[in-house]
């Protein structure tokens, strides 16, 4: 197990270097000069632009910029934002916790509600309840998240005035409720369906029949024997999904005014703030790698056969 | 056994991540609920995160200028008729438009208690103009004698101070310009000319975290990307004293989100209604909806180096201009958010005149004739370049449709992904035909809408229009003896421009704003900004 973890961590290094280099190159290839854009339609002074670029190290050749960046990164320096002259690490520290909070909220919602609904649907397969669930999840999958977001905003905030339409305080769970549900709803649909199928399949398997024949109480058959095997595909999905939630919060964050990473990256891209984009993506890569490591470890817990491979 | 151990490990890892995010989350705010709780008597307004720290000479975008205006006060400002209103200045006098004597009002202080003196102004301007301090608005000081020494076009500065600035006594200083500029006093109304306390110039980085100004509001807190809060400064001496207890400038991720908050009563003022909400905002808000014109002009500008417009006969451009049905586009496509332009200057500036030029009137028949008389454009095709991130697509498409139908010239909207790319192409002389240009007044004189845009050497002249006769006339206007005379000469310039058509002005800007039930006295200035200090809380 220990060696397995170490190997996984070592694998992360080339992935990390590769992805940062890739983002770096992509940002560089975009047209538009972020320093020049600070002056907008106004008069421009080339001497000042040159001076600013020199300060930020943007006048160096690309490979040198990349090396400087990576070098700085190991000393905890994420670079400097061009417009505000603030350290990127500070900018990210403002935004990342908000997104993580939103994501974890959405994730918890997906896990708890999704798995419970999936089990219920699976145990009562092909009954009215199950059909209803299929239609409901089909709806969630087919409706784009911005439609869902605006609809929820309209009904819950304006018609019934239950919640605030946008997030005022990103630390108040009540404020985050609506965006979290909207963000989590797409994965919710997948989790329900995955769990349901998996439960239905495993219900017909030999070991369940054996467990029932042994006279085990129903609670134990479902809770231990059925669940443990049915959750493997769900956990795989949830692992990758957590990363997708983190990165894909752009639309939801926009609708509900969450000042998180999604917004940050979007604005930084528009302004060609290379260091900010690379910084956020670097962190997302690290999170993604960590999550997939946790998922793989969870596998081993769920299925002993995987453990010994 | 092994299974159990790894389960513990995984659970531990999750707990660690949760703990990390939880403590990271607290560090951003200095108190719970800080961004939603508004102190009593404060007004909240939607203003995005300023691009950089609020230093007047380094702020040239609208979010930052709101904050600079709250924290700082310069010598004077302009009322909605364009007349100067003295704030920190007691008087500004000149005899030859070259040497100006400024007397300050007594008893003004910065928020830290430091006195505002003539020396504060002179030091600040010298600092802001100096090349090594890299202030974005440094070119504003270029009129002053000795600017080239502190801010040479190339290389290091030759001097630390400009020779044109002299302190006479505590409250008096003189400004000597390199050449006479009759409208110089008007330029002084821009926030860039506000004074900084000593600490700002000694350590700008520390100052950025805790700005100290001399304006109607003092700094309270800045939660980046969320909120910038200022409180009324009770020792403020200017006429624009705060009528409320403070302002919260709140950052929203989209204008739509801000509008939602306005409707539900969590936000007092929205300064720009999102295009999605424009059709219904008047019925939502009733008389709390604001629609006011301001001093800005939107044009499409031919690039005179491009294939279609190289050596073009001005008649062709006049024809293209006459093919555009400005009124209808403003009313339908733009939901009444613009007025049709009838001249090169907006009505809010001194010297605006009714050009009565046929070139600004919609006349499809004459349009076609003029284009043909002028010999048409090579390839019978023009492009209009615009940035797709600015919401210009719809009206540009409509303008193109007009041109195509009424003149037979093929017109293609040339969309660029964002403003950066758009600017890059303009700077590099790579515009294919025309580009969308916009200009909002820096000072309310007609000069500002011509000198900065169409003089051969003007830096914002990205169409590279060049006409010796017009240049000469502009220079004559710049050297006129009085402001009135200068404005008059520029009115002549405008008539000449209507013949040469260096650009096709299409619309004058309007601000579409709105406010909530809890506040009153929400007005706008000639600049299109909400006058925040006058807003009162019910």
């Amino acid at each position: 197990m220990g060696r397995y973890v170490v190997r996984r961590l070592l694998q992360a290094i080339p992935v990390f270097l590769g992805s940062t280099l890739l983002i770096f190159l992509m940002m560089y290839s975009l047209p538009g000069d972020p320093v020049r854009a600070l002056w907008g339609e106004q008069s421009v002074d080339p001497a000042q632009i040159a001076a600013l670029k020199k300060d930020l190290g943007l006048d160096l050749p690309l490979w040198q910029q990349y090396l400087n960046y990576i070098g700085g990164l190991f000393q905890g320096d994420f670079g400097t934002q061009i417009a505000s002259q603030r350290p990127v690490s500070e900018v990210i520290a403002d935004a990342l916790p908000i997104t993580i909070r939103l994501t974890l909220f959405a994730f918890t919602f997906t896990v708890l509600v999704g798995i419970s609904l999936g089990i219920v649907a699976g145990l009562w397969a092909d009954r009215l309840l199950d059909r209803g669930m299929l239609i409901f999840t089909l709806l969630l999958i087919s409706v784009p998240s911005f439609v869902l977001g605006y609809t929820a905003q309209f009904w819950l905030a304006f018609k019934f005035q239950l919640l605030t339409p946008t997030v005022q305080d990103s630390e108040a769970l009540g404020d985050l409720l609506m965006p979290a549900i909207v963000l989590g709803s797409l994965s919710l649909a997948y989790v329900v369906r995955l769990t349901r199928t998996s439960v239905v399949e495993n219900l017909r398997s030999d070991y369940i029949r054996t467990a029932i024949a042994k006279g085990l109480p129903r609670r134990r058959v479902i809770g231990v024997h059925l669940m443990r095997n049915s959750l493997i595909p769900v956990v795989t999905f949830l692992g990758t999904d957590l990363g997708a939630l983190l990165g894909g919060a752009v639309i939801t964050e926009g609708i509900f005014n969450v000042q998180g990473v999604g917004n940050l990256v979007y604005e930084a891209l528009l302004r060609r703030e290379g260091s900010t984009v690379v910084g956020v993506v670097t962190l997302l890569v690290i999170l993604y790698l960590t999550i997939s490591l946790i998922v793989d470890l969870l596998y081993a817990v769920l299925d002993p056969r995987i453990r010994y491979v | 056994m092994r299974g159990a151990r790894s389960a513990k490990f995984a659970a531990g890892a999750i707990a660690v991540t949760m703990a990390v995010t939880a403590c990271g989350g607290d560090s951003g705010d200095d108190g719970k609920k800080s961004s939603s709780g508004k102190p009593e008597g404060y007004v909240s307004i939607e203003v995005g995160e300023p691009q950089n720290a609020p230093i007047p000479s380094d702020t040239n975008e609208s979010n930052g200028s709101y904050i600079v205006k709250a924290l700082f006060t310069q010598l004077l400002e302009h009322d909605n008729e364009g007349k100067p209103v003295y704030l920190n200045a007691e008087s500004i006098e000149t005899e030859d438009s070259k040497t100006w004597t400024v007397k300050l009002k007594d008893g003004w202080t910065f928020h830290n208690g430091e006195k505002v003196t003539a020396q504060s102004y002179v030091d600040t301007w010298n600092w802001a103009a100096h090349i090594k301090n890299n202030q974005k608005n440094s070119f504003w000081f270029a009129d002053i004698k000795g600017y080239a020494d502190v801010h040479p076009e190339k290389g290091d500065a030759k001097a630390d101070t400009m020779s044109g600035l002299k302190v006479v006594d505590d409250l008096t200083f003189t400004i000597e310009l390199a050449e006479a500029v009759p409208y110089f006093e008007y330029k002084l109304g821009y926030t860039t000319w506000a004074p900084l306390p000593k600490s700002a110039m000694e350590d700008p980085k520390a100052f950025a975290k805790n700005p100290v100004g001399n304006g109607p509001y003092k700094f309270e807190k800045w939660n980046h990307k969320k909120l910038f809060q200022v409180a009324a400064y009770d020792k403020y001496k200017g006429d624009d004293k705060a009528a409320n207890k403070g302002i919260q400038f709140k950052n929203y991720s989209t204008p739509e989100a801000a509008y939602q908050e306005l409707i539900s009563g969590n936000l007092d003022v929205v300064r720009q209604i999102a295009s999605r909400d424009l059709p219904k905002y008047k019925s939502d808000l009733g008389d709390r909806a604001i629609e006011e014109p301001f001093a800005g002009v939107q044009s499409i500008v031919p690039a005179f180096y491009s294939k279609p417009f190289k050596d073009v006969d001005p008649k062709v451009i006049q024809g293209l201009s006459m093919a555009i049905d400005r009124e209808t586009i403003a009313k339908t496509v733009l939901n009444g958010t613009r007025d049709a332009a009838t001249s090169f200057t907006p009505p809010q500036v001194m010297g605006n005149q009714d050009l009565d030029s046929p070139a600004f009137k919609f006349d499809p028949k004459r349009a076609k004739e003029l284009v043909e008389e002028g010999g048409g454009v090579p390839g019978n095709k023009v492009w209009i370049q615009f940035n797709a991130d600015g919401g210009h697509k719809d009206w540009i498409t409509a303008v193109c449709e007009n041109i195509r139908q009424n003149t037979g010239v093929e017109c293609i909207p040339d969309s660029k992904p964002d403003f950066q790319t758009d600017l890059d192409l303009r700077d590099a002389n790579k515009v294919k035909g025309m580009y969308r240009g916009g200009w909002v007044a820096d000072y309310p004189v007609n000069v500002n809408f011509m000198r900065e845009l169409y003089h051969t050497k003007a830096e914002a002249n990205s169409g590279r229009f060049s006409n010796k006769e017009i240049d000469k006339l502009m220079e004559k206007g710049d050297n006129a003896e009085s402001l009135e005379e200068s404005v008059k000469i520029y009115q002549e310039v405008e008539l000449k421009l209507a013949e040469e058509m260096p650009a096709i002005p299409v619309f004058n800007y309007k601000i579409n704003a709105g406010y909530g039930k809890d506040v009153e006295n929400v007005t706008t200035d000639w600049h299109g900004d909400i006058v925040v200090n006058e807003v009162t809380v019910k």
Side-chain angles (χ1 to χ4, degrees), chain A residues 1-2 5 30-53 55 81-87 90-91 93-98 100-101 104 108 150 153-154 157-158 161 164-172 175 228 253-260 263-264 266-267 269-273 287 290 293-294 297-298 300-301 307-308, chain B residues 1-4 6-10 13-14 17-18 21-22 24-29 31-36 49-53 60 131 133-140 147 151-155 190 205 209 222-226 250-254 256-261 263-264 266 276 389 417-421 423-424 426-427 435-439 442 452 459-460 462:
Chain A
M1 199 74 193
V5 174
L30 288 174
D33 180 349
V35 180
R36 157 70 181 89
L38 293 178
W39 274 263
E41 246 153 321
Q42 267 188 354
S43 303
V44 180
D45 184 344
Q48 270 179 285
I49 292 183
L52 207 55
K53 281 193 170 171
D55 277 358
Q81 224 181 18
I82 294 167
S84 65
Q85 300 278 318
R86 291 172 72 207
E90 208 180 289
V91 177
D94 281 348
L96 193 64
I98 297 172
I100 292 188
R101 219 174 293 139
L104 284 182
T108 318
Y150 283 126
Q153 211 171 40
F154 180 74
F158 291 115
Q161 311 218 324
T164 53
T166 64
V167 175
Q168 297 286 300
D169 177 2
S170 57
E171 278 169 51
D175 278 16
R228 193 162 170 168
E253 288 190 355
I255 296 173
F256 294 104
N257 188 42
V258 183
Q259 304 287 14
N263 246 308
L264 182 66
Y266 179 70
E267 276 173 24
L269 261 175
L270 281 186
R271 292 212 305 240
R272 305 281 184 272
E273 288 277 5
L287 277 171
T290 320
L293 180 66
I294 295 173
L297 295 177
L298 270 179
V301 180
R307 202 179 304 161
Y308 299 108
Chain B
M1 278 305 281
R2 293 189 63 167
S6 41
K8 233 183 256 163
F9 178 81
I14 293 175
T17 6
M18 301 268 264
T21 60
D26 290 336
S27 64
D29 286 74
K32 269 263 174 221
K33 289 251 167 202
S34 54
S35 54
S36 62
E49 171 90 349
Q51 211 171 57
N52 49 270
N60 64 357
I131 176 93
N133 298 317
N134 231 331
Q135 299 292 295
K136 282 201 276 295
N137 296 336
S138 51
F139 67 91
W140 272 84
Y147 175 78
H151 198 121
E153 268 175 49
K154 265 192 192 129
Y190 192 40
K205 283 229 161 96
K209 292 206 171 104
W222 186 2
N223 294 345
H224 284 279
K225 307 261 316 183
K226 282 185 205 149
K250 291 174 85 173
N251 187 196
Y252 285 89
S253 51
T254 60
E256 286 87 358
Y259 186 72
Q260 306 281 27
E261 288 303 306
I263 296 290
S264 58
N266 292 326
R276 187 192 77 181
D389 61 350
D418 47 36
F419 195 41
Q420 265 91 327
T421 319
L423 283 177
D424 256 19
R426 290 194 216 171
D427 288 349
Y435 68 86
R436 174 208 69 86
W439 191 262
D442 297 317
E452 258 82 24
E459 296 190 59
S462 307

Side-chain angles (χ1 to χ4, degrees), chain A residues 12 17 34 40 45 57 82 91 124 131 135 159 176 222 260 266:
Chain A
L17 287 178
D45 184 344
I82 294 167
V91 177
W124 281 275
R131 302 276 180 211
I135 294 172
K159 283 287 166 198
L176 282 181
I222 294 172
Y266 179 70

